[in-house]
Short mmCIF file of all heavy atoms in Angstrom, two decimals:
data_model
loop_
_atom_site.label_atom_id
_atom_site.label_comp_id
_atom_site.label_asym_id
_atom_site.label_seq_id
_atom_site.Cartn_x
_atom_site.Cartn_y
_atom_site.Cartn_z
N PRO A 1 -7.21 -9.56 -24.09
CA PRO A 1 -6.89 -9.04 -22.71
C PRO A 1 -5.53 -8.46 -22.59
O PRO A 1 -5.32 -7.48 -21.87
CB PRO A 1 -7.08 -10.35 -21.88
CG PRO A 1 -8.06 -11.18 -22.66
CD PRO A 1 -7.77 -10.93 -24.11
N ARG A 2 -4.51 -9.05 -23.26
CA ARG A 2 -3.18 -8.52 -23.25
C ARG A 2 -3.09 -7.13 -23.80
O ARG A 2 -2.43 -6.23 -23.30
CB ARG A 2 -2.20 -9.47 -23.94
CG ARG A 2 -0.75 -8.99 -23.88
CD ARG A 2 0.17 -9.90 -24.71
NE ARG A 2 -0.26 -9.94 -26.13
CZ ARG A 2 0.06 -8.92 -26.97
NH1 ARG A 2 0.70 -7.86 -26.59
NH2 ARG A 2 -0.29 -9.02 -28.25
N GLN A 3 -3.76 -6.91 -24.93
CA GLN A 3 -3.78 -5.56 -25.59
C GLN A 3 -4.43 -4.58 -24.65
O GLN A 3 -4.00 -3.45 -24.52
CB GLN A 3 -4.50 -5.66 -26.97
CG GLN A 3 -3.68 -6.34 -27.99
CD GLN A 3 -4.45 -6.46 -29.30
OE1 GLN A 3 -5.67 -6.77 -29.33
NE2 GLN A 3 -3.81 -6.21 -30.45
N LEU A 4 -5.59 -4.95 -24.03
CA LEU A 4 -6.31 -4.07 -23.13
C LEU A 4 -5.44 -3.66 -21.95
O LEU A 4 -5.32 -2.51 -21.54
CB LEU A 4 -7.60 -4.66 -22.64
CG LEU A 4 -8.71 -4.83 -23.75
CD1 LEU A 4 -9.80 -5.73 -23.19
CD2 LEU A 4 -9.21 -3.45 -24.13
N ASP A 5 -4.67 -4.67 -21.40
CA ASP A 5 -3.75 -4.43 -20.29
C ASP A 5 -2.72 -3.41 -20.73
O ASP A 5 -2.32 -2.54 -19.95
CB ASP A 5 -3.12 -5.66 -19.76
CG ASP A 5 -4.07 -6.55 -18.97
OD1 ASP A 5 -5.13 -5.99 -18.50
OD2 ASP A 5 -3.80 -7.77 -18.83
N GLU A 6 -2.16 -3.57 -21.92
CA GLU A 6 -1.07 -2.72 -22.41
C GLU A 6 -1.58 -1.28 -22.65
O GLU A 6 -0.95 -0.31 -22.19
CB GLU A 6 -0.54 -3.28 -23.78
CG GLU A 6 0.74 -2.59 -24.22
CD GLU A 6 1.28 -3.27 -25.47
OE1 GLU A 6 0.83 -4.37 -25.85
OE2 GLU A 6 2.23 -2.69 -26.00
N ILE A 7 -2.79 -1.17 -23.22
CA ILE A 7 -3.36 0.21 -23.42
C ILE A 7 -3.63 0.85 -22.12
O ILE A 7 -3.28 2.04 -21.88
CB ILE A 7 -4.69 0.06 -24.23
CG1 ILE A 7 -4.42 -0.45 -25.68
CG2 ILE A 7 -5.42 1.39 -24.25
CD1 ILE A 7 -5.69 -0.92 -26.40
N CYS A 8 -4.23 0.15 -21.13
CA CYS A 8 -4.50 0.72 -19.84
C CYS A 8 -3.23 1.12 -19.06
O CYS A 8 -3.24 2.08 -18.31
CB CYS A 8 -5.41 -0.23 -19.05
SG CYS A 8 -7.12 -0.31 -19.69
N ALA A 9 -2.18 0.38 -19.25
CA ALA A 9 -0.95 0.71 -18.60
C ALA A 9 -0.46 2.06 -19.11
O ALA A 9 0.03 2.90 -18.33
CB ALA A 9 0.10 -0.39 -18.89
N PHE A 10 -0.51 2.30 -20.41
CA PHE A 10 -0.17 3.60 -21.00
C PHE A 10 -1.05 4.74 -20.33
O PHE A 10 -0.58 5.75 -19.92
CB PHE A 10 -0.41 3.59 -22.49
CG PHE A 10 0.81 3.16 -23.26
CD1 PHE A 10 0.78 1.82 -23.74
CD2 PHE A 10 1.85 3.96 -23.58
CE1 PHE A 10 1.82 1.37 -24.51
CE2 PHE A 10 2.87 3.50 -24.29
CZ PHE A 10 2.93 2.24 -24.77
N LEU A 11 -2.38 4.44 -20.28
CA LEU A 11 -3.31 5.48 -19.82
C LEU A 11 -3.05 5.77 -18.29
O LEU A 11 -3.11 6.96 -17.89
CB LEU A 11 -4.69 5.08 -20.05
CG LEU A 11 -5.08 4.92 -21.58
CD1 LEU A 11 -6.44 4.23 -21.74
CD2 LEU A 11 -5.12 6.28 -22.24
N ARG A 12 -2.88 4.73 -17.49
CA ARG A 12 -2.64 4.89 -16.06
C ARG A 12 -1.36 5.68 -15.78
O ARG A 12 -1.22 6.28 -14.73
CB ARG A 12 -2.62 3.57 -15.36
CG ARG A 12 -3.99 2.88 -15.28
CD ARG A 12 -3.99 1.75 -14.32
NE ARG A 12 -5.26 1.00 -14.33
CZ ARG A 12 -5.50 -0.13 -14.96
NH1 ARG A 12 -4.47 -0.71 -15.67
NH2 ARG A 12 -6.67 -0.68 -14.95
N ASP A 13 -0.45 5.61 -16.74
CA ASP A 13 0.83 6.28 -16.60
C ASP A 13 0.70 7.77 -17.03
O ASP A 13 1.74 8.49 -17.15
CB ASP A 13 1.86 5.57 -17.47
CG ASP A 13 3.32 6.01 -17.18
OD1 ASP A 13 3.63 6.19 -15.99
OD2 ASP A 13 4.12 6.15 -18.11
N GLY A 14 -0.52 8.24 -17.33
CA GLY A 14 -0.70 9.59 -17.65
C GLY A 14 -0.44 9.94 -19.13
O GLY A 14 -0.34 11.15 -19.49
N GLN A 15 -0.38 8.91 -20.00
CA GLN A 15 -0.11 9.12 -21.37
C GLN A 15 -1.41 9.33 -22.14
O GLN A 15 -2.50 8.95 -21.65
CB GLN A 15 0.72 7.97 -21.96
CG GLN A 15 2.03 7.84 -21.20
CD GLN A 15 3.04 6.95 -21.99
OE1 GLN A 15 3.34 7.23 -23.10
NE2 GLN A 15 3.52 5.97 -21.25
N ILE A 16 -1.32 9.86 -23.36
CA ILE A 16 -2.51 10.09 -24.20
C ILE A 16 -2.49 9.23 -25.46
O ILE A 16 -1.40 8.89 -25.92
CB ILE A 16 -2.76 11.57 -24.50
CG1 ILE A 16 -1.60 12.11 -25.37
CG2 ILE A 16 -2.90 12.39 -23.22
CD1 ILE A 16 -1.83 13.58 -25.78
N ALA A 17 -3.73 8.85 -25.90
CA ALA A 17 -3.76 7.92 -27.01
C ALA A 17 -4.76 8.35 -28.04
O ALA A 17 -5.66 9.18 -27.67
CB ALA A 17 -4.11 6.48 -26.48
N ILE A 18 -4.73 7.84 -29.16
CA ILE A 18 -5.82 7.94 -30.18
C ILE A 18 -6.40 6.52 -30.32
O ILE A 18 -5.72 5.55 -30.54
CB ILE A 18 -5.23 8.49 -31.55
CG1 ILE A 18 -4.75 9.88 -31.40
CG2 ILE A 18 -6.30 8.35 -32.63
CD1 ILE A 18 -4.12 10.49 -32.66
N ILE A 19 -7.69 6.45 -30.24
CA ILE A 19 -8.46 5.19 -30.31
C ILE A 19 -9.65 5.31 -31.29
O ILE A 19 -10.13 6.39 -31.57
CB ILE A 19 -8.93 4.74 -28.93
CG1 ILE A 19 -10.08 5.67 -28.42
CG2 ILE A 19 -7.85 4.68 -27.94
CD1 ILE A 19 -10.81 5.11 -27.24
N PRO A 20 -10.05 4.19 -31.84
CA PRO A 20 -11.24 4.20 -32.66
C PRO A 20 -12.51 4.38 -31.80
O PRO A 20 -12.55 4.06 -30.58
CB PRO A 20 -11.25 2.81 -33.32
CG PRO A 20 -10.47 1.96 -32.33
CD PRO A 20 -9.45 2.85 -31.72
N THR A 21 -13.52 4.96 -32.43
CA THR A 21 -14.83 5.07 -31.80
C THR A 21 -15.83 4.66 -32.89
O THR A 21 -15.45 4.16 -33.94
CB THR A 21 -15.17 6.48 -31.34
OG1 THR A 21 -15.40 7.34 -32.37
CG2 THR A 21 -14.03 7.01 -30.44
N ASP A 22 -17.10 4.94 -32.62
CA ASP A 22 -18.12 4.66 -33.68
C ASP A 22 -18.29 5.86 -34.63
O ASP A 22 -19.16 5.81 -35.54
CB ASP A 22 -19.46 4.19 -33.14
CG ASP A 22 -20.00 5.20 -32.09
OD1 ASP A 22 -19.29 6.22 -31.77
OD2 ASP A 22 -21.12 4.95 -31.56
N THR A 23 -17.53 6.94 -34.34
CA THR A 23 -17.56 8.08 -35.25
C THR A 23 -16.12 8.48 -35.68
O THR A 23 -15.45 7.63 -36.22
CB THR A 23 -18.29 9.29 -34.54
OG1 THR A 23 -17.63 9.58 -33.35
CG2 THR A 23 -19.75 9.01 -34.28
N ILE A 24 -15.68 9.68 -35.28
CA ILE A 24 -14.31 10.06 -35.64
C ILE A 24 -13.38 9.47 -34.54
O ILE A 24 -13.76 9.32 -33.42
CB ILE A 24 -14.26 11.63 -35.58
CG1 ILE A 24 -15.20 12.22 -36.61
CG2 ILE A 24 -12.87 12.07 -35.86
CD1 ILE A 24 -15.40 13.76 -36.49
N TYR A 25 -12.19 9.11 -35.01
CA TYR A 25 -11.20 8.65 -34.02
C TYR A 25 -11.03 9.70 -32.91
O TYR A 25 -11.11 10.91 -33.16
CB TYR A 25 -9.82 8.43 -34.73
CG TYR A 25 -9.57 6.99 -35.13
CD1 TYR A 25 -10.21 6.49 -36.26
CD2 TYR A 25 -8.67 6.23 -34.46
CE1 TYR A 25 -10.04 5.22 -36.72
CE2 TYR A 25 -8.44 4.89 -34.90
CZ TYR A 25 -9.10 4.39 -36.04
OH TYR A 25 -8.83 3.09 -36.41
N GLY A 26 -10.82 9.23 -31.70
CA GLY A 26 -10.77 10.16 -30.56
C GLY A 26 -9.42 10.22 -29.92
O GLY A 26 -8.66 9.26 -29.87
N ILE A 27 -8.99 11.45 -29.43
CA ILE A 27 -7.81 11.52 -28.56
C ILE A 27 -8.29 11.33 -27.19
O ILE A 27 -9.25 12.05 -26.73
CB ILE A 27 -7.16 12.93 -28.73
CG1 ILE A 27 -6.88 13.19 -30.19
CG2 ILE A 27 -5.94 13.03 -27.89
CD1 ILE A 27 -6.45 14.68 -30.45
N VAL A 28 -7.69 10.43 -26.42
CA VAL A 28 -8.22 10.14 -25.07
C VAL A 28 -7.13 10.05 -24.05
O VAL A 28 -5.94 9.87 -24.34
CB VAL A 28 -8.96 8.75 -25.11
CG1 VAL A 28 -10.06 8.73 -26.08
CG2 VAL A 28 -7.99 7.56 -25.35
N CYS A 29 -7.53 10.15 -22.77
CA CYS A 29 -6.64 9.83 -21.70
C CYS A 29 -7.54 9.37 -20.54
O CYS A 29 -8.78 9.40 -20.62
CB CYS A 29 -5.84 11.12 -21.29
SG CYS A 29 -6.83 12.39 -20.45
N ASP A 30 -6.85 8.93 -19.48
CA ASP A 30 -7.55 8.54 -18.26
C ASP A 30 -8.21 9.77 -17.70
O ASP A 30 -7.55 10.74 -17.44
CB ASP A 30 -6.54 7.96 -17.26
CG ASP A 30 -7.13 7.44 -15.98
OD1 ASP A 30 -8.18 7.96 -15.55
OD2 ASP A 30 -6.48 6.57 -15.36
N ALA A 31 -9.53 9.71 -17.53
CA ALA A 31 -10.28 10.92 -17.09
C ALA A 31 -9.96 11.32 -15.67
O ALA A 31 -10.36 12.38 -15.20
CB ALA A 31 -11.80 10.72 -17.27
N LEU A 32 -9.26 10.42 -14.93
CA LEU A 32 -8.84 10.78 -13.52
C LEU A 32 -7.45 11.26 -13.43
O LEU A 32 -6.95 11.32 -12.30
CB LEU A 32 -9.14 9.58 -12.61
CG LEU A 32 -10.57 9.04 -12.62
CD1 LEU A 32 -10.74 8.01 -11.57
CD2 LEU A 32 -11.63 10.13 -12.45
N GLU A 33 -6.77 11.50 -14.58
CA GLU A 33 -5.41 11.94 -14.57
C GLU A 33 -5.34 13.37 -15.05
O GLU A 33 -5.36 13.73 -16.20
CB GLU A 33 -4.55 11.09 -15.54
CG GLU A 33 -4.22 9.72 -15.01
CD GLU A 33 -3.16 9.81 -13.92
OE1 GLU A 33 -2.42 10.77 -13.80
OE2 GLU A 33 -3.17 8.82 -13.13
N PRO A 34 -5.32 14.37 -14.07
CA PRO A 34 -5.37 15.80 -14.44
C PRO A 34 -4.30 16.25 -15.40
O PRO A 34 -4.56 17.05 -16.30
CB PRO A 34 -5.26 16.49 -13.06
CG PRO A 34 -5.72 15.50 -12.08
CD PRO A 34 -5.28 14.17 -12.60
N LYS A 35 -3.03 15.82 -15.20
CA LYS A 35 -2.00 16.25 -16.09
C LYS A 35 -2.22 15.77 -17.51
O LYS A 35 -1.87 16.50 -18.51
CB LYS A 35 -0.68 15.75 -15.57
CG LYS A 35 -0.21 16.52 -14.31
CD LYS A 35 1.17 16.08 -13.86
CE LYS A 35 1.59 16.88 -12.60
NZ LYS A 35 2.95 16.39 -12.10
#
């Protein structure tokens, strides 16, 4: 839960991340953050 909170704090702040998926690693951001 602490890791999830930390990751989501980055995303809510408009930052971008690379995360694992079930295929290729993905570049992601909060889909509601236009910038």
Side-chain angles (χ1 to χ4, degrees):
R2 183 185 59 79
Q3 287 176 318
L4 290 170
D5 286 341
E6 191 174 350
I7 293 165
C8 289
F10 274 98
L11 296 169
R12 289 192 184 101
D13 195 39
Q15 301 194 55
I16 63 177
I18 293 176
I19 68 168
T21 73
D22 54 356
T23 57
I24 301 169
Y25 265 74
I27 305 170
V28 303
C29 71
D30 184 333
L32 303 188
E33 285 288 338
K35 289 184 178 178

